[in-house]
Amino acid sequence: MIDKKHIGRKTTPQTVDVEKGRLKFFAKAIGETNPIYSDEEAARAAGYKTIPAPPTFAFCLEMETNSLWDNIAAMGVPVGKILHGSQSFTYHAPIHAGDQITFETTVSDIYDKKGGALEFIVEDTTAKNQDGALVCELQRVIVARN
Amino acid sequence: MAVPSFDSVNVGDEPIHLETEPVARATLALYAGASGDHNPMHIDIDYAKKAGESDVFAHGMLVMAYLGRSLTDWVPQTAVRSFTARFTAITRVGEKIICTGKVAEKLEQDGEKRVKVELSAANQDGQVKAAGEAIVALA
């Protein structure tokens, strides 16, 4: 069983660059053909400052901080046992190519079901841009299969 | 792309539909690289077998990215206030994902006219892989 002492565990805030090439690559990987996600001119014509990050990309940026891997390692949960249970995003402002986003992740809950056969790790993350504005809040639930 | 008017959207409307190509191993390799999620469970069959799986399987977030595409095919992304998905089944290599969405509720929140859209991503046989919802601000 995961020790509940990890509830409240916080990462040191880490800042990640939003790279234009990475956004283009991501659009290709998910089959996104809307040109605003890969072409600066199309993005500007649609009213964006430059290429915006698609709706789930904040999760990818946050993965760069390694908080998920650091947290499960600290809890003694092997990578091969985890599944992604759920994910949510609350959006406050767009994230664009060229932004620098600072993430801070807190383990907000750990609980189990089925007599401990499944354990759930809830992590809440704030994402702020280079101006200090909160752009997105994320919640990730990871399931450990015992 | 214009934001649809609140009055033009009704509870029960199904404005979202997206069908993907079957998920290939190459899809998973590209997604691993582009997303930064390098968990070997999704790209290394030897690792997956050692962990007791029969094969690699898709990142849940790939399926959520497809749901995101289906959403921004309908409304500009700047209209999306929140977006949630629960992963209910593993997506295997060779499965297609079909995203659908139904308007479940019309509401006024924070001075905006919004709708709650229930989202589903299922395979070609109707097995639901992810279920979720989005709150979208309309004009």
Side-chain angles (χ1 to χ4, degrees), chain A residues 27-96:
Chain A
K28 178 184 175 179
I30 67 168
E32 176 58 80
T33 54
N34 183 337
I36 68 160
Y37 295 109
S38 53
D39 181 272
E40 278 179 278
E41 243 172 71
R44 285 199 201 97
Y48 293 91
K49 186 169 72 175
T50 179
I51 298 173
T56 63
F57 195 74
F59 176 91
C60 306
L61 291 168
E62 199 277 336
M63 286 294 280
E64 301 288 310
T65 71
N66 271 326
S67 67
L68 171 59
W69 312 124
D70 291 348
N71 281 340
I72 64 166
M75 294 173 194
V77 177
V79 175
K81 280 183 158 193
I82 64 166
L83 287 176
H84 200 168
S86 67
Q87 182 65 40
S88 69
F89 299 91
T90 304
Y91 304 105
H92 300 288
I95 296 173
H96 292 101

Side-chain angles (χ1 to χ4, degrees), chain A residues 108-130:
Chain A
S108 41
D109 201 8
I110 297 170
Y111 59 93
D112 63 274
K113 285 185 183 172
K114 299 186 182 174
L118 296 175
E119 291 184 279
F120 296 79
I121 305 159
V122 183
E123 294 162 292
D124 281 288
T125 299
T126 55
K128 292 180 179 173
N129 68 11
Q130 59 279 7

Side-chain angles (χ1 to χ4, degrees), chain A residues 22 25-26 29-32 37 48 53-56 59-60 63 69 79-80 84-91 145, chain B residues 30-31 33-37 39 41 47 53 57 61 64-66 69 72 77-78 80-87:
Chain A
R22 178 79 180 282
F25 182 21
F26 187 77
I30 67 168
E32 176 58 80
Y37 295 109
Y48 293 91
T56 63
F59 176 91
C60 306
M63 286 294 280
W69 312 124
V79 175
H84 200 168
S86 67
Q87 182 65 40
S88 69
F89 299 91
T90 304
Y91 304 105
R145 300 174 290 173
Chain B
L30 286 176
Y31 186 79
S35 71
D37 183 344
N39 182 346
M41 191 65 99
Y47 182 93
E53 296 292 329
F57 57 85
M61 289 306 287
M64 192 172 187
Y66 290 151
R69 267 176 61 194
T72 58
Q77 190 178 329
T78 46
V80 181
R81 296 291 173 263
S82 65
F83 178 27
T84 298
R86 277 178 298 108
F87 303 105

